[in-house]
Amino acid sequence: MVESLAAPPRTRRAAFFVAVPLALVMLLLIAVLITRKSAADRGDFNPLVNKAAPAIVGTTLDGQPFDLDRLRGKWVVLNFFATWCVPCQQEHPDLVSFDRRHSQAGDVQLVSVVFNDEVENVRDFYAKNGGSWPVVSGELGRTALDYSVVRAPDTYIIDPLGIVRDRIPRPVQNADEIDQRITELSNQLYGSS
C-alpha cells in the first residue's frame, strides 16, 4: 500500500484559516510599529507645560535656603545638571553667559538642580567652571520625578506667575536661544512691548 504524501483537504483548509488571521495580525503590528512616535519623540513630551511648576524647596550648595515660589515675578530658567553629563559640561559656559547677562538686570533667575550626582562633585565643578546662580540638591531624585526628567540636561522655562511655559530636553545651543524663547513666550503671553 502506498501512502499519500499530500495532506488531506480538511487539514489544508484549517491551516489556511489559521494562517490568514495570523498574517493580518502581524501586518497590523508592523503598521503600528512603523507609524508610532520614536522613543526620543515620546521623551520630549512633557505634561508640565502650561501647568504650575512643581514646588522646589531645599538648600543650595552654599547652604542658603531655596524656595522656587519666592522667585515669582520674574522668569525662571530651571536647569537639571550633572557633572558626569558631557552635554551638561558643554552647555555650562552658555549658562554662565546667560546668568551674567540677566543677574545684573534681575529679570530672569537661572537655577540648577543636581541630577543624580554627588554634591561635592558639583561644588568642585562650579568652583572650576564658574556659575553664581542657586544650585539646589535634587533630593535623591524627587525633584527630577516631579519634573518628569529622565536625563540631563533638561531645562524648563517658568513664567513670572510660576507656570511652566517651555522645556528644552537637550543641551541649550547658546545663551541667545534661552533669551529668544523667553522673548517669544513673553510676546505670546503678554503681548509685545
Side-chain angles (χ1 to χ4, degrees):
M1 176 188 273
V2 177
E3 289 185 32
S4 172
L5 295 177
R10 185 178 286 174
T11 306
R12 278 185 270 153
R13 197 174 322 138
F16 176 77
F17 285 118
V18 170
V20 169
L22 185 60
L24 289 174
V25 168
M26 293 298 290
L27 286 172
L28 182 61
L29 178 62
I30 290 169
V32 167
L33 290 174
I34 289 172
T35 60
R36 77 181 201 160
K37 288 185 176 183
S38 71
D41 291 340
R42 289 189 314 274
D44 290 348
F45 168 75
N46 192 284
L48 288 179
V49 173
N50 296 323
K51 297 209 170 53
I56 300 176
V57 178
T59 305
T60 62
L61 293 184
D62 60 358
Q64 299 300 312
F66 179 85
D67 185 348
L68 182 62
D69 283 343
R70 291 187 184 163
L71 297 176
R72 295 268 170 99
K74 64 171 75 176
W75 288 91
V76 176
V77 175
L78 184 67
N79 176 260
F80 287 83
F81 165 86
T83 59
W84 48 262
C85 164
V86 173
C88 296
Q89 296 167 13
Q90 293 169 340
E91 78 175 356
H92 191 77
D94 293 310
L95 294 176
V96 170
S97 174
F98 178 84
D99 183 60
R100 282 188 188 134
R101 191 180 308 169
H102 290 282
S103 63
Q104 293 174 351
D107 57 341
V108 179
Q109 177 64 58
L110 177 59
V111 177
S112 286
V113 177
V114 177
F115 178 78
N116 196 22
D117 204 343
E118 297 296 323
V119 171
E120 282 307 313
N121 293 343
V122 176
R123 278 193 186 108
D124 291 346
F125 180 87
Y126 275 81
K128 291 176 189 170
N129 298 290
S132 58
W133 58 88
V135 179
V136 183
S137 168
E139 299 178 34
L140 301 174
R142 180 69 205 161
T143 305
L145 287 174
D146 290 345
Y147 279 83
S148 302
V149 174
V150 294
R151 65 182 177 267
D154 205 345
T155 303
Y156 289 82
I157 299 175
I158 302 169
D159 76 6
L161 299 174
I163 307 297
V164 175
R165 294 298 178 180
D166 201 1
R167 175 179 178 225
I168 305 171
R170 56 166 173 72
V172 297
Q173 295 172 348
N174 55 53
D176 293 333
E177 176 189 13
I178 305 171
D179 280 325
Q180 182 179 16
R181 285 186 183 229
I182 290 173
T183 299
E184 289 170 3
L185 288 165
S186 185
N187 289 341
Q188 288 171 9
L189 297 169
Y190 310 115
S192 57
S193 38

